[in-house]
Amino acid sequence: LSSAASDVYKRQGFLCTFRLGRGRRVGYNGGKTMKESAMHTTAPCETGARFGVSLLLTCLTAAMGGLLFGYDWVVIGGAKPFYEAYLGLTGEAMAWKAGFAMSSAVFGCIVGALALGWIPDRHGRKPSLIFAAALFTASAVWTALAAGYWDFIAARVLGGVGIGLASNVSPVYIAEMSPARLRGRLVALNQLTIVIGILLAQVVNLLIYNLAPMAADATAEALRASWNGQVGWRWMFGAE
């Protein structure tokens, strides 16, 4: 159950009743009937709860928030030399702007993790995950199309909001959907997909870079004029 739930818990065979916040009730009858509250809490009873394909697919889908978390967080590392050359963030005078561009998603993470906690409480976990996915999509497209420095910053902050929200909601949603005996293993899927997302970001960066590799000692001007400096780094972000 979520943090707002479970001041009353009754079990009668396969019939479970939960009293949620604001006095709403949720009835669960052996996996056959469920009347959800406005909070969309869907915790199954331990009695009769079984691990099935539908539950696994549901948890894997929710864990995609973790995959996007890992990808969005790490992809900037491979794109860094190229977007910095394109945006003119080279040289000592531009060091602070380059550092801010690299870490700008962190500010969005703070907003997503702290300031948007009311969204899953009011609208439910599933709509919140859909909203986080929309933020990731918008951020990827916007970053790929960024024409200037502040465009890039705004797009990365937006992606950070998605990271903060997904990192909060995904494991909670999986825990609420899982029977107690499998909860730990299924919630661990979120951690697994984060690591897979990190790996995918590195692989995608390498594959895109290898389309037009450059010498390790290439100058900023050469990087900017290259295919990776003009287009490649955009695909790294857009591949999300």
Side-chain angles (χ1 to χ4, degrees):
L1 291 175
S2 66
S3 59
S6 190
D7 59 283
V8 173
Y9 177 86
K10 296 179 181 178
R11 177 181 298 174
Q12 297 177 352
F14 286 96
L15 178 62
C16 296
T17 303
F18 309 104
R19 183 185 297 276
L20 302 181
R22 304 178 186 173
R24 295 180 176 84
R25 289 179 179 271
V26 176
Y28 179 83
N29 189 4
K32 296 179 181 179
T33 61
M34 171 68 78
K35 182 179 179 182
E36 295 185 14
S37 73
M39 298 177 64
H40 303 278
T41 302
T42 55
C45 296
E46 293 181 35
T47 306
R50 296 179 180 178
F51 180 78
V53 175
S54 61
L55 176 60
L56 178 60
L57 291 178
T58 299
C59 293
L60 285 174
T61 301
M64 290 300 100
L67 186 141
L68 294 175
F69 174 170
Y71 187 96
D72 194 85
W73 190 263
V74 173
V75 67
I76 195 169
K80 182 177 183 291
F82 306 107
Y83 76 74
E84 284 186 350
Y86 181 87
L87 298 174
L89 303 179
T90 56
E92 187 174 347
M94 290 294 180
W96 72 271
K97 294 183 74 174
F100 184 61
M102 185 72 177
S103 60
S104 55
V106 175
F107 295 94
C109 288
I110 296 173
V111 174
L114 297 180
L116 297 184
W118 60 271
I119 292 180
D121 286 339
R122 174 169 294 185
H123 300 288
R125 316 297 182 204
K126 185 176 178 180
S128 299
L129 287 173
I130 294 173
F131 179 56
L135 292 177
F136 281 121
T137 302
S139 172
V141 174
W142 192 358
T143 308
L145 299 177
Y149 178 75
W150 292 110
D151 272 349
F152 184 87
I153 294 295
R156 291 296 297 162
V157 170
L158 186 66
V161 174
I163 291 174
L165 185 59
S167 64
N168 190 356
V169 177
S170 290
V172 175
Y173 182 78
I174 294 171
E176 289 178 341
M177 293 298 297
S178 306
R181 63 187 178 85
L182 297 171
R183 191 164 295 142
R185 278 173 281 183
L186 291 176
V187 171
L189 287 174
N190 189 66
Q191 306 302 317
L192 176 63
T193 54
I194 290 174
V195 176
I196 292 174
I198 292 172
L199 176 62
L200 283 177
Q202 303 285 17
V203 171
V204 169
N205 285 345
L206 178 62
L207 292 176
I208 292 175
Y209 169 78
N210 282 339
L211 294 176
M214 300 188 64
D217 58 350
T219 63
E221 291 76 12
L223 290 174
R224 178 181 173 85
S226 68
W227 180 83
N228 278 310
Q230 292 293 319
V231 178
W233 68 269
R234 300 180 184 276
W235 280 107
M236 294 176 187
F237 288 107
E240 183 180 351

